[in-house]
Amino acid sequence: MDWLFFGEISLAGLAMGGLYALIALGFVIIYKATRVINFAIGEIMMFAAYLFLAFAGGMEISPWVAVPLAVLGGALLGGVIEKTMIRPMLGESPISVVMVTIGIASILVGLVELIWTADPQLLPSFLPREPVFIGELYLAPKIAYGFLIGMAMLILYLLYFRFSRGGVALRATASDQAAAYSMGINVRRVFNLAWVFGSLAASLAGILVAATGGLSPQFGIIGLSVLVVVIVGGLDSILGALIAGVFIGWLETVAGAYLGGEYRMPATFAVLAVILVFKPYGLFGTHEIERV
């Protein structure tokens, strides 16, 4: 085995896994607060990446201004979706809400194709191009710097949820909605905040991932990989999202390098099947016991 090649592939996979973890964090935030499985998370991040393309490419705004504008646009989209499409579904069966998110995903894909066509696009370059070496191992600069930006966002999120009033409200609502109501927490506002923050994290990750591999209306398919991440880690576990994200990113990259690109998804779904057999709630998910 060429250990140098394996090391470089592993580094690239771990860096990509860090971005998967950021997307999974957005997924988990929404699920923990609202108990909604958001199948449109991939399309929200795709839409934010197209917003960046419009700002930086079409309007020729500085990329470092276009990135926060596009991320805020994705966050706003998440808030609007929650208020106009998800909130009216409160009290309905979980499968009904899931079908709504799938419909939202289809609408976003169609909207993107109408505005930007179905042709693949390349985002304007905004990440440094200097080669990155860790010892003798080379890491593509777009992947390396994208990982660093994603990790900075992850740290900010964790600090916010730990120390801010909004973060405490989110954690309280996720723990017990009825108790949160009784303590005077505006639970509806927290639901909206969860969608905003979850979409914001996914939007930034979407721009960073699209910057390394291009963009198309099918870009949202990455949501399938993220779904595997959150199920393996546990739907309601932030720690699980971080660990599983890094592992799945590494596994996909190694499988693609050694077995071929067509084996990336089968490899991750094989791991998912094994995990579900032995840990149905994921590695770090909460084991819920209901009275009958």
Side-chain angles (χ1 to χ4, degrees):
M1 176 184 288
D2 187 343
W3 290 106
L4 182 62
F5 176 72
F6 177 77
E8 292 180 344
I9 290 297
S10 294
L11 269 182
L14 293 173
M16 186 59 67
L19 296 180
Y20 279 1
L22 184 58
I23 304 168
L25 176 65
F27 194 108
V28 170
I29 289 170
I30 292 173
Y31 181 79
K32 277 179 71 71
T34 66
R35 297 298 172 183
V36 172
I37 299 176
N38 180 16
F39 278 89
I41 196 78
E43 282 66 30
I44 290 174
M45 56 184 278
M46 171 201 67
F47 192 80
Y50 271 103
L51 284 180
F52 172 79
L53 178 65
F55 291 141
M59 301 173 67
E60 298 184 349
I61 298 174
S62 167
W64 292 106
V65 176
V67 168
L69 286 177
V71 168
L72 289 175
L76 179 63
L77 174 63
V80 170
I81 287 173
E82 189 280 331
K83 193 165 187 177
T84 60
M85 301 182 189
I86 302 300
R87 190 174 299 181
M89 297 295 294
L90 285 175
E92 300 294 336
S93 66
I95 190 63
S96 298
V97 183
V98 165
M99 293 307 297
V100 169
T101 66
I102 293 174
I104 292 168
S106 298
I107 291 171
L108 290 176
V109 170
L111 185 62
V112 161
E113 290 181 347
L114 283 174
I115 298 174
W116 288 283
T117 76
D119 298 330
Q121 309 272 0
L122 290 177
L123 297 190
S125 179
F126 66 96
L127 295 172
R129 300 181 180 180
E130 293 79 11
V132 176
F133 287 91
I134 301 176
E136 297 182 354
L137 303 178
Y138 169 77
L139 184 60
K142 288 184 177 181
I143 296 177
Y145 291 109
F147 171 77
L148 292 177
I149 295 172
M151 289 303 98
M153 175 62 81
L154 271 174
I155 292 170
L156 288 175
Y157 262 59
L158 295 177
L159 291 174
Y160 177 83
F161 293 133
R162 179 65 180 84
F163 297 108
S164 72
R165 291 183 63 183
V168 171
L170 275 169
R171 288 189 287 123
T173 303
S175 178
D176 191 325
Q177 292 181 11
Y181 266 119
S182 67
M183 293 299 292
I185 294 174
N186 187 339
V187 174
R188 288 179 181 269
R189 183 174 178 274
V190 170
F191 285 175
N192 192 259
L193 195 65
W195 273 80
V196 168
F197 275 101
S199 300
L200 189 149
S203 296
L204 176 61
I207 294 170
L208 295 174
V209 173
T212 65
L215 181 62
S216 75
Q218 287 71 47
F219 180 74
I221 197 70
I222 196 173
L224 285 178
S225 295
V226 175
L227 183 61
V228 173
V229 168
V230 296
I231 294 176
V232 168
L235 280 170
D236 59 351
S237 173
I238 290 178
L239 176 63
L242 304 183
I243 294 176
V246 172
F247 173 70
I248 294 298
W250 173 83
L251 179 64
E252 273 195 2
T253 305
V254 171
Y258 284 97
L259 302 177
E262 66 273 18
Y263 287 95
R264 289 166 60 95
M265 294 299 288
T268 58
F269 278 97
V271 170
L272 173 63
V274 172
I275 293 296
L276 288 178
V277 169
F278 296 100
K279 300 278 288 186
Y281 292 92
L283 294 176
F284 300 93
T286 302
H287 187 184
E288 297 181 0
I289 300 176
E290 297 182 3
R291 293 180 180 273
V292 178

